[in-house]
Amino acid sequence: RRYRIVKQLPSLKNFKASEIKPKSIDLMIVADENPGDQEISRVMEYCQNNHVGYQFAPTLSGIYSSKIYSTQIQGIPVLELRPTPIEGWGRIAKRLFDVIITTIIMLVSLPFQVLIYLIIKLTDPGPAIYLHECYGRGGKKIKVYKFRTMLSKYSLGEKFGGRTVEDVLKQLPEDKAEEFRKTAKIKQDPRVSGFGRFLRRTSLDELPQVFNVLKGDLSLVGPRPLPESELELAGGKKSLSRIVTIRPGITGLWQVSGRNDLSYDDRVKLNLYYIENWSIWLDIKILIKTVWQGIFERNGI
């Protein structure tokens, strides 16, 4: 069904029946965050008296889910939020899958990781492993291991002089800094080294995260680990609980669905879709697509 907005009110308190002609509308949708009982009664009475459709969109604070269902308890309409399938036996199955696959990946990739480590050390001064502080499951702070892809002068943290994100943004052209503030990403990022571009394009920079998986900080597949610098973009601390309900992943649904071509809101929606629709088969498909893109598509950052 397609809708055309005839009139939009900022609040139910602004509703005045005398200002709205019944013949000009077919449906009223209420999505007020704090609707009062009296205001709702006035709107419903207006709709009933004038044969106008009425719909109510409940605004559950911080929750945007496709797993919300309408049901009734003794004739009373209620909304039900179905839990993620990554609960109970689902969580155990996912953890076993992670440990088995990650152990194989670690044994196969170890020689390549040593080679990458040496190349980084020889081409740019500074630590070859970057510890990225992020939010893990339940909002716990974790340190995610990555091969350093940025030049030392743009890297953050105590090992690089204690630079902050704002310190680095001041070194960038204004258009690049503004792009980062809006999306937390930069296309054709000047901070990234030549070898770092190769590592990002092939996702090899994330190989050290297999140790995070074995530690239990990460999963192979899941929502992207959320850095503190992106918390406000994701909706602030009030939204943290819905984003970190499961372990973050090395790769995830949004990474194989467009990467930098997606808006930040689209990334969040894909992460939530993954949480609500998880299965081992979905993990396998995402892993296969990650490898395919890394080897063949070359569509990295």
Side-chain angles (χ1 to χ4, degrees):
R1 185 186 297 181
R2 300 179 66 180
Y3 298 96
R4 180 173 65 88
I5 297 176
V6 176
K7 189 176 183 65
Q8 186 171 356
L9 302 176
S11 169
L12 282 184
K13 294 179 180 179
N14 298 90
F15 173 76
K16 294 181 180 179
S18 59
E19 296 181 359
I20 301 178
K21 298 179 180 179
K23 293 183 180 180
S24 65
I25 59 173
D26 299 309
L27 174 69
M28 290 189 66
I29 301 175
V30 175
D32 196 324
E33 291 187 359
N34 297 293
D37 291 341
Q38 291 184 351
E39 284 83 1
I40 289 179
S41 295
R42 284 197 298 117
V43 172
M44 292 183 68
E45 183 179 358
Y46 172 86
C47 292
Q48 290 171 350
N49 292 339
N50 294 282
H51 307 289
V52 173
Y54 174 86
Q55 291 183 3
F56 176 63
T59 53
L60 302 178
S61 179
I63 297 178
Y64 303 91
S65 172
S66 62
K67 296 294 186 180
I68 297 179
Y69 299 89
S70 175
T71 184
Q72 288 190 354
I73 297 178
Q74 294 185 349
I76 301 173
V78 296
L79 294 178
E80 176 185 359
L81 177 62
R82 301 280 173 86
T84 170
I86 315 179
E87 294 293 345
W89 287 107
R91 185 182 301 176
I92 295 172
K94 184 171 174 62
R95 181 59 182 158
L96 286 173
F97 177 81
D98 282 345
V99 171
I100 293 170
I101 301 300
T102 302
T103 301
I104 296 171
I105 294 173
M106 184 185 66
L107 294 174
V108 172
S109 69
L110 196 56
F112 298 100
Q113 293 199 51
V114 172
L115 179 61
I116 292 170
Y117 181 93
L118 293 174
I119 292 175
I120 295 173
K121 294 292 288 185
L122 293 173
T123 55
D124 189 52
I129 301 294
Y130 180 71
L131 301 181
H132 198 189
E133 191 171 83
C134 300
Y135 290 102
R137 184 172 180 269
K140 174 187 175 183
K141 289 284 188 72
I142 60 173
K143 291 186 177 180
V144 177
Y145 307 138
K146 297 184 72 172
F147 283 123
R148 179 169 58 86
T149 57
M150 291 189 183
L151 297 167
S152 292
K153 63 179 180 179
Y154 293 123
S155 296
L156 309 177
E158 296 179 1
K159 294 184 178 180
F160 299 95
R163 295 188 197 92
T164 65
V165 172
E166 285 301 320
D167 292 333
V168 171
L169 293 181
K170 290 176 182 177
Q171 302 179 56
L172 300 177
E174 185 57 35
D175 60 327
K176 297 292 185 182
E178 189 61 26
E179 183 181 351
F180 181 87
R181 291 188 181 100
K182 288 181 178 178
T183 66
K185 291 285 183 181
I186 302 176
K187 293 181 179 180
Q188 298 179 344
D189 197 335
R191 301 172 298 168
V192 182
S193 68
F195 185 57
R197 293 184 193 281
F198 166 76
L199 293 178
R200 288 192 176 191
R201 189 166 61 245
T202 57
S203 297
L204 291 174
D205 61 317
E206 297 176 351
L207 273 178
Q209 292 176 24
V210 294
F211 296 100
N212 284 115
V213 176
L214 292 178
K215 282 176 60 180
D217 291 335
L218 296 182
S219 178
L220 276 173
V221 183
R224 178 177 176 270
L226 180 69
E228 190 168 9
S229 60
E230 297 180 22
L231 184 58
E232 289 306 313
L233 273 176
K237 289 188 177 180
K238 65 179 182 180
S239 300
L240 187 59
S241 60
R242 67 185 172 96
I243 298 171
V244 294
T245 55
I246 65 172
R247 288 189 184 95
I250 295 178
T251 186
L253 190 56
W254 80 257
Q255 288 94 322
V256 298
S257 301
R259 306 195 79 166
N260 272 20
D261 294 329
L262 297 173
S263 68
Y264 198 88
D265 286 343
D266 286 337
R267 297 179 211 167
V268 172
K269 288 176 183 177
L270 284 171
N271 282 339
L272 293 176
Y273 175 88
Y274 172 81
I275 292 172
E276 296 169 354
N277 297 276
W278 170 84
S279 69
I280 290 291
W281 177 235
L282 180 58
D283 276 6
I284 292 172
K285 288 195 291 186
I286 292 172
L287 288 171
I288 292 173
K289 196 167 184 179
T290 300
V291 174
W292 178 271
Q293 288 184 349
I295 296 175
F296 298 108
E297 295 188 8
R298 309 291 184 182
N299 66 339
I301 296 168

